[in-house]
Amino acid sequence: MRIRGTMKLLVLCAMAAPALAQEGPQMSLQDAPVQRQVALACDFATECREAEPCGETDFAPVLNGSSGGLDETSMVVRAQLSSGGRGVELIGVSDGSTMSLWGGEIEERHFFTRAATGETRYTVHRAEGPEVISYLGVCK
């Protein structure tokens, strides 16, 4: 069973990433047998900045994108996390309602993790400083 799950993940990752100078057919999320739209509104109530105590916030970005896979349990996700006219593209995987995404530029990496309950942690790692900012809340 473990090998089968690993093969499924490899196929999903191949669908999300562009092919690198390969001949033959290429796949994308649009080719996945199972597809879903991703639309989550987030409400982060806690912000934690490196070397500072955590405090209250009203940060409320939205996550919009699409997902696709071989079945409904393991899907590749490509989405945009946006707030106030700024956004970052994130890619990753979902397993039912659980989701793990990452993205950004080399000098600013973004990590988004959502539990099946909707509880979410969003973290930004910046090379400048360096600095880490974490947001805790819910995305539904």
Side-chain angles (χ1 to χ4, degrees):
M1 284 294 186
R2 180 84 173 160
I3 293 174
R4 186 174 188 189
T6 302
M7 290 303 293
K8 188 185 298 184
L9 184 58
L10 289 172
V11 169
L12 291 173
C13 289
M15 291 168 57
L20 301 173
Q22 297 184 52
E23 292 184 26
Q26 297 178 12
M27 291 191 291
S28 69
L29 286 177
Q30 291 78 21
D31 299 322
V34 178
Q35 299 177 27
R36 288 196 180 147
Q37 292 300 308
V38 175
L40 297 173
C42 299
D43 181 19
F44 293 107
T46 304
E47 177 183 79
C48 302
R49 291 183 172 264
E50 188 170 344
E52 296 178 18
C54 294
E56 292 182 12
T57 187
D58 60 357
F59 183 47
V62 294
L63 183 75
N64 289 300
S66 57
S67 63
L70 300 176
D71 59 43
E72 294 183 10
T73 58
S74 298
M75 301 180 87
V76 171
V77 178
R78 185 175 189 173
Q80 183 84 14
L81 185 67
S82 304
S83 175
R86 293 190 61 212
V88 62
E89 184 177 44
L90 304 174
I91 61 168
V93 294
S94 69
D95 186 358
S97 298
T98 303
M99 188 179 301
S100 180
L101 308 175
W102 56 91
E105 301 296 326
I106 188 116
E107 64 277 347
E108 185 175 283
R109 300 299 297 164
H110 299 254
F111 301 91
F112 179 96
T113 306
R114 181 179 184 269
T117 60
E119 293 178 76
T120 305
R121 177 181 298 266
Y122 169 57
T123 306
V124 180
H125 296 238
R126 293 184 176 145
E128 184 72 28
E131 179 183 40
V132 174
I133 305 169
S134 294
Y135 295 94
L136 308 170
V138 176
C139 293
K140 294 184 179 182

